[in-house]
């Protein structure tokens, strides 16, 4: 399999230029220990292949530029570029098991025809590209297929379920809301009953893969992100929103622990409010002024 090559020094440089800390990158990846990112950058460890496209998006680079791959992709490559694990594909195939994809990636059993279109959509490629990648998984030397007319770099979170999970993983476990609490928050913001606990559960687990715009808007409000987080397919927008939310959570936690003075504590709270309040959701877009 022509896996992408992780460029540790290239990523470290791109992260520094972007102004992101290792802790922010870790939070955006749903990794609790920032030292994991440090090990990636030192070359002591390599990220899972399904994380590479998202790492590139976080620092504003194309994955093909930052982490190039030699050769044409197999099925496993397409899945990893979409930011998905084999386990994630069970929600796409609606089998409750990753077995169909695992068998096809291993060159043991081809995908059933009714799995092809949903997987192509989830991976952000054309059906022709997916089928060509499947042939390569079985050892066939197949040329590049025509790209999807709206082809994109599908960086996780790739679905409603994955997006919800990513945001919840970026929240401390003791502060993680239940599905019923998320529904109550969203309804409070919407001013009417749009969400229910069972609906949020269904979306979070991937049992429901589509939702009306008003449902997504209420869900976004409940999770404290802009509605565009669930609407856009743009990988960079997704990465930026996730990173800003992680930073806001960090600032809020610091303020809650108490700064050295009341003025510092108040300033932290103002920045936390700015980073996901007015700055992204339509209020005062001006950052707080530095204390004199």
């Amino acid at each position: 399999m022509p896996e992408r090559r992780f460029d540790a020094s290239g990523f470290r440089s791109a992260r520094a230029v972007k102004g992101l800390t290792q802790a922010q990158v870790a939070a955006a990846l749903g990794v609790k220990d920032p030292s994991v990112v440090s090990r990636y950058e030192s070359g002591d460890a390599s990220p899972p292949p399904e994380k590479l496209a998202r790492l590139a998006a976080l620092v504003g680079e194309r994955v093909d530029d930052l982490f190039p791959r030699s050769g044409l992709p197999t099925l496993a490559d397409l899945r990893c570029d979409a930011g998905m694990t084999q386990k994630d594909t069970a929600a796409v195939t609606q089998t409750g098991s990753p077995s169909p994809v695992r068998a096809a990636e291993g060159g043991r059993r081809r995908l059933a025809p009714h799995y092809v279109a949903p997987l192509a959509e989830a991976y952000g490629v054309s059906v022709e590209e997916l089928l060509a990648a499947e042939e390569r998984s079985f050892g066939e030397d197949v040329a590049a297929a025509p790209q999807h007319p709206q082809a994109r770099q599908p960086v996780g979170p790739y679905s409603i379920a994955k997006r919800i999970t990513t945001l919840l993983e970026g929240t401390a476990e003791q502060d993680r809301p239940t599905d019923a609490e998320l529904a109550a928050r969203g309804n409070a913001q919407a001013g009417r009953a749009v969400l229910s606990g069972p609906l949020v559960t269904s979306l979070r687990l991937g049992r429901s893969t589509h939702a009306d715009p008003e449902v997504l808007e209420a869900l976004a409000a409940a999770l404290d992100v802009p509605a565009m987080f669930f609407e856009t397919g743009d990988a960079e927008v997704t990465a930026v929103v996730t990173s800003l939310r992680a930073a806001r959570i960090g600032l809020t936690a610091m303020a809650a622990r108490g700064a050295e003075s009341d003025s510092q504590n108040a300033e932290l709270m103002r920045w936390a409010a700015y980073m996901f309040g007015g700055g992204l959701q339509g209020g005062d877009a001006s950052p707080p002024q530095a204390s004199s």
Side-chain angles (χ1 to χ4, degrees):
M1 182 175 80
E3 292 184 352
R4 295 190 180 279
R5 178 179 61 83
F6 177 69
D7 182 351
S9 62
F11 177 76
R12 183 173 61 249
S13 298
R15 176 182 62 77
V17 169
K18 197 72 173 177
L20 293 174
T21 65
Q22 291 179 342
Q24 288 172 322
V25 171
L29 292 179
V31 176
K32 295 181 179 179
D33 184 1
S35 69
V36 171
V37 178
S38 177
R39 291 198 293 273
Y40 293 163
E41 294 185 353
S42 66
D44 292 337
S46 294
E50 64 269 16
K51 299 287 189 184
L52 294 183
R54 192 162 182 206
L55 282 169
L58 281 170
V59 296
E61 299 282 348
R62 293 179 67 252
V63 66
D64 287 330
D65 295 334
L66 190 58
F67 308 130
R69 173 172 53 227
S70 59
L72 296 171
T74 62
L75 280 175
D77 295 323
L78 293 184
R79 171 179 56 75
C80 290
D81 282 357
M84 297 171 61
T85 64
Q86 286 184 341
K87 184 178 179 181
D88 292 330
T89 65
V92 180
T93 59
Q94 298 185 345
T95 58
S97 167
S99 297
V101 170
R102 182 183 296 126
E105 288 184 359
R108 297 188 302 276
R109 185 175 64 254
R110 295 182 185 276
L111 293 168
H114 55 282
Y115 296 152
V116 172
L119 284 169
E121 181 179 358
Y123 293 171
V125 299
S126 67
V127 167
E128 291 80 8
E129 287 177 281
L130 187 90
L131 292 175
E134 182 181 38
E135 291 301 312
R136 296 184 202 106
S137 297
F138 281 79
E140 300 295 331
D141 185 13
V142 179
Q147 287 194 337
H148 193 287
Q150 277 114 17
R152 64 187 188 279
Q153 289 291 346
V155 178
Y158 75 97
S159 65
I160 296 174
K162 191 69 173 178
R163 291 168 195 254
I164 294 172
T165 301
T166 297
L167 293 178
L168 292 177
E169 287 176 347
T171 305
E173 190 167 353
Q174 65 272 19
D175 299 327
R176 205 167 291 171
T178 65
D179 295 337
E181 288 170 339
L182 285 174
R185 290 182 189 177
N187 291 338
Q189 291 291 324
R192 61 194 184 91
V194 177
L195 301 175
S196 67
L199 174 57
V200 175
T201 300
S202 182
L203 291 169
R204 179 175 58 80
L205 296 179
R207 295 170 185 161
S208 299
T209 56
H210 296 85
D212 292 336
E214 64 177 0
V215 170
L216 295 180
E217 186 173 347
L219 187 59
L223 288 162
D224 203 14
V225 295
M228 71 172 123
F229 181 76
F230 286 102
E231 297 167 356
T232 183
D234 188 290
E236 188 167 359
V237 170
T238 299
V240 168
V241 169
T242 307
S243 299
L244 285 175
R245 182 178 186 272
R248 184 193 61 79
I249 289 173
L251 283 171
T252 303
M254 289 171 61
R257 289 196 300 268
E260 295 179 2
S261 67
D262 289 342
S263 62
Q264 288 180 343
N265 191 42
E267 187 170 350
L268 282 174
M269 292 301 290
R270 285 197 299 274
W271 270 102
Y274 163 71
M275 290 189 72
F276 239 77
L280 279 177
Q281 294 185 334
D284 181 8
S286 301
Q289 298 299 310
S291 299
S292 56

